[in-house]
Amino acid sequence: MIHALLIDAGGVLFNNITEETSFVPELARRYAVDAERLLRAVQAAAPGYERGDRGVHDVLRRLLAEAGSPRAGAYDPDGVDRLYADSVRCHDANVAELAAVARDHPELTLVLANNEAEHWDHLKNERHHHYGLFDHLCSSWRVGRVKPSAAYFAAVLEHCGAAAHEALMVDDRAAVVAAARALGLRTLHVTSPPVLRADLRATVERLTRDASRQGIRTR
């Protein structure tokens, strides 16, 4: 039986901004730096702002300066926020399916389990109000760890009071799915947004049936 449903955001409930949109290339164009160099720098620096070590705008301002931008001194955080927010696409059908599964399975604890900068996590919520879906918010910056580290999963499981075998990790990244499985969590790999709608309910119900057959009591 699963008790905790751990849901990633980017690639599951939303698009992946860095990988799937023109956010970084457009940022590079605005600040007159090489787009490929900036993308590599952002990807390398992401764990730092996702853990909450530094604010995302502080990091971007530094990366633009290091890339030789003549405009880094005039960095505009509000303009960058608008560019980021306009790049976000919510997979509304997936949000609706998750909400429906939660209604049908009130025994489940829903956990937001994503890597994201604090500022942009809040920015997404201001537009899409996805925090309200969850019983626990365990974004990387809240727990000070990033997926797929074992420390991240340990912190999240402790926070929501679940053992590894009682948790189902739903994520689009193969590395996260593999790490979660190695730690004993159940997993659902969302390789494209429609996979969640096709497989989430079936996976939850299969795990529930398996537990019932084995005589495991639900909480």
Side-chain angles (χ1 to χ4, degrees), residues 98-202:
L98 177 60
V101 169
R103 285 194 302 269
D104 292 345
H105 291 273
E107 74 278 6
L108 288 178
T109 296
L110 265 63
V111 183
L112 179 62
N114 62 323
N115 287 345
E116 183 58 283
E118 177 180 2
H119 183 69
W120 283 340
D121 219 13
H122 293 329
L123 192 64
K124 284 179 180 177
N125 186 61
E126 287 171 8
R127 288 203 173 190
H128 301 286
H129 311 291
H130 64 295
Y131 286 176
L133 283 169
F134 297 96
D135 302 297
H136 298 282
L137 302 176
C138 292
S139 300
S140 54
W141 62 269
R142 292 179 184 270
V143 300
R145 304 287 188 274
V146 295
K147 295 180 296 180
S149 71
Y152 175 84
F153 288 109
V156 172
L157 292 171
E158 180 179 4
H159 186 81
C160 64
H165 71 275
E166 296 176 310
L168 172 65
M169 179 74 241
V170 180
D171 206 287
D172 67 309
R173 290 175 55 200
V176 172
V177 170
R181 187 179 297 127
L183 292 168
L185 285 77
R186 315 300 180 91
T187 60
L188 173 60
H189 190 192
V190 177
T191 54
S192 66
V195 170
L196 182 135
R197 301 191 295 279
D199 292 349
L200 178 62
R201 182 180 297 273

Side-chain angles (χ1 to χ4, degrees), residues 72-90:
Y75 180 83
D76 175 17
D78 291 337
V80 174
D81 278 351
R82 287 192 295 272
L83 176 60
Y84 182 88
D86 289 344
S87 300
V88 173
R89 298 290 178 269
C90 182

